[in-house]
Amino acid sequence: MDTNSKLSNNAGVILVSHGSTLPFAEEVFTEIKEKFIKKSGLATEIGYMKVSEPTIAGAVEILKEQVDDLDKIIALPVFLAPGIHTNIDIPQLLGLEPLEVDPRCPDGKYPAEHYLSIADDVDFDGEIRLLTSIGPRDELLDIIDKRINEALSESKLDDSAKTGILLVTHGSRLHYNKEFATELYDKFKKTCDLPSSFGFMELCGPSIPESINKLADENRLERLVVVPVFIAPGMHTTHDIPHILGFLDDHNHNHEDHGHDHTHDLTPVEFDGEILYPEPIKSDDILIDMLVAMVNEAL
C-alpha cells in the first residue's frame, strides 16, 4: 500500500508513543506503524509526546496531508497501562481536557520549560477520539509465552533445570500501573505451571530484587526468565532493568530524560543461577492485531 497516497476514508489514526533518547523505540514504532497500516488500511502516523518526531501536533498535520477531507482522528496510546501520560499529558497534547487532575501540577499551570507548555497546538476542526491504553488483555499472555519460549531456547541448562518466571513492568506513583500488572499476572499464573511472580522497576512494590529473591528462595530455582512487559526497547529495558539484574556494572545515564526521579531499589539480587532476559513486546503481530481491533471498534 502506498502510504503517501490520499485515502477515500475520512478518518486517520495517531499511534501515540512517549518518545525516547535512544533509537530503538523509534525503530520499533516505525515497524508497528507499517504493520498497522498494512493490516488496517487506514492512514496512520506516529505521534510522540516528547523527544522524538513527529510530535502529536505534527502527526495531525501529516494526516491532513494524507487524507482528503479528514474529519475524524482516532488517537490510540500505545501504552500498556493508563497513567499520567494517557490520562493527563496526551489529552492536553491533543487539545482535549485531561481526564483527571495532574498530581504534578494541580493548578494546571506548568513551568515554561515543561513539555506541555512548549508543545505546538493541534490545528484540527474535526472529531478527535482518544482511546484507552491497551490494558491487561488476554492476548498479551500469548506474547509473554512466546518471549518465555524464545528465552528458554537460548538457555545453557537442560530442560530439567528448576525454572521460574518473573514479569516486570515500570511502576507508577498512581495506582493504574500496579492494577494493570496485578491483573495481568493473575491471568498469567493461571496458565503457567512454573513458579512465577511479578515486580516493578520503580515507584511501587514489590521491586524486582524483592520478587527475585523471594521467588528463588522459596522454589530453589536454577533458572529464571525475567520478561520485560514493555512495548519497545528503551533506557528502562536496555539499561535500568539490566543494571538491577546485575548485567551492567555502571548506571550512568541522564535520569532527567525520563521526566521523573529514579529511585531504584538497591537491594542486591541474591539469585546466582541463570537469568534469561528476552526482548519486550516490540512489533509482534499479536500486538498489531490488538491495536487494529481497538481502532475498528472506535470507527
Side-chain angles (χ1 to χ4, degrees):
M1 178 179 181
D2 181 5
T3 60
N4 292 318
S5 64
K6 295 202 172 189
L7 305 179
S8 58
N9 195 316
N10 296 122
V13 177
I14 298 178
L15 301 175
V16 184
S17 176
H18 183 279
S20 175
T21 55
L22 299 180
F24 313 121
E26 288 189 33
E27 293 170 0
V28 166
F29 270 89
T30 297
E31 292 175 4
I32 289 173
K33 182 185 83 167
E34 291 172 351
K35 286 186 173 184
F36 182 91
I37 292 171
K38 184 176 181 180
K39 182 81 175 179
S40 70
L42 294 168
T44 304
E45 188 50 76
I46 307 164
Y48 292 102
M49 283 177 45
K50 55 182 179 177
V51 182
S52 304
E53 296 285 343
T55 64
I56 290 174
V60 171
E61 294 302 312
I62 292 171
L63 289 178
K64 286 161 64 176
E65 289 294 322
Q66 289 185 349
V67 182
D68 285 319
D69 300 320
L70 180 71
D71 60 14
K72 184 174 184 178
I73 292 175
I74 306 296
L76 173 55
V78 189
F79 288 69
L80 292 173
I84 283 178
H85 292 326
T86 63
N87 290 3
I88 298 170
D89 295 343
I90 294 171
Q92 293 188 79
L93 291 168
L94 286 165
L96 307 174
E97 288 296 318
L99 303 181
E100 61 184 278
V101 174
D102 192 340
R104 304 165 302 181
C105 189
D107 63 3
K109 297 178 181 178
Y110 297 94
E113 68 278 5
H114 193 277
Y115 58 88
L116 290 178
S117 298
I118 64 177
D120 292 333
D121 292 334
V122 166
D123 179 16
F124 182 64
D125 295 329
E127 176 189 1
I128 297 178
R129 182 168 180 186
L130 175 60
L131 304 188
T132 62
S133 56
I134 295 167
R137 296 175 178 246
D138 292 345
E139 295 91 335
L140 289 176
L141 301 180
D142 296 328
I143 301 176
I144 290 170
D145 286 343
K146 286 174 66 175
R147 296 297 176 266
I148 292 170
N149 290 332
E150 289 165 1
L152 290 175
S153 71
E154 302 293 327
S155 176
K156 297 178 181 178
L157 304 180
D158 60 35
D159 293 343
S160 65
K162 190 64 181 293
T163 301
I165 309 295
L166 183 73
L167 308 185
V168 299
T169 187
H170 187 284
S172 174
R173 294 182 182 89
L174 303 183
H175 57 86
Y176 303 113
N177 188 267
K178 189 161 188 174
E179 288 178 349
F180 162 80
T182 302
E183 186 173 345
L184 183 67
Y185 174 67
D186 285 345
K187 291 182 176 184
F188 173 77
K189 68 182 180 182
K190 293 176 183 177
T191 67
C192 181
D193 296 329
L194 299 173
S196 63
S197 187
F198 68 101
F200 297 94
M201 193 189 82
E202 60 180 353
L203 301 175
C204 59
S207 69
I208 294 172
E210 288 172 340
S211 294
I212 289 178
N213 293 341
K214 184 173 186 293
L215 184 64
D217 182 61
E218 291 179 351
N219 296 280
R220 301 186 177 221
L221 299 181
E222 301 170 86
R223 175 170 58 200
L224 180 65
V225 183
V226 178
V227 183
V229 186
F230 289 73
I231 297 289
M235 196 68 74
H236 295 324
T237 62
T238 62
H239 287 264
D240 296 339
I241 296 173
H243 174 77
I244 293 170
L245 296 176
F247 295 165
L248 301 177
D249 293 331
D250 59 6
H251 193 48
N252 296 322
H253 67 271
N254 187 358
H255 293 165
E256 295 179 358
D257 288 344
H258 304 317
H260 54 70
D261 297 329
H262 266 46
T263 53
H264 298 162
D265 183 2
L266 299 180
T267 302
V269 172
E270 298 171 355
F271 178 63
D272 59 1
E274 181 183 51
I275 297 180
L276 302 171
Y277 182 58
E279 292 284 314
I281 293 170
K282 300 178 74 173
S283 61
D284 194 285
D285 289 343
I286 297 172
L287 173 67
I288 306 305
D289 289 341
M290 283 191 287
L291 300 180
V292 171
M294 291 175 71
V295 169
N296 285 340
E297 289 171 5
L299 287 173

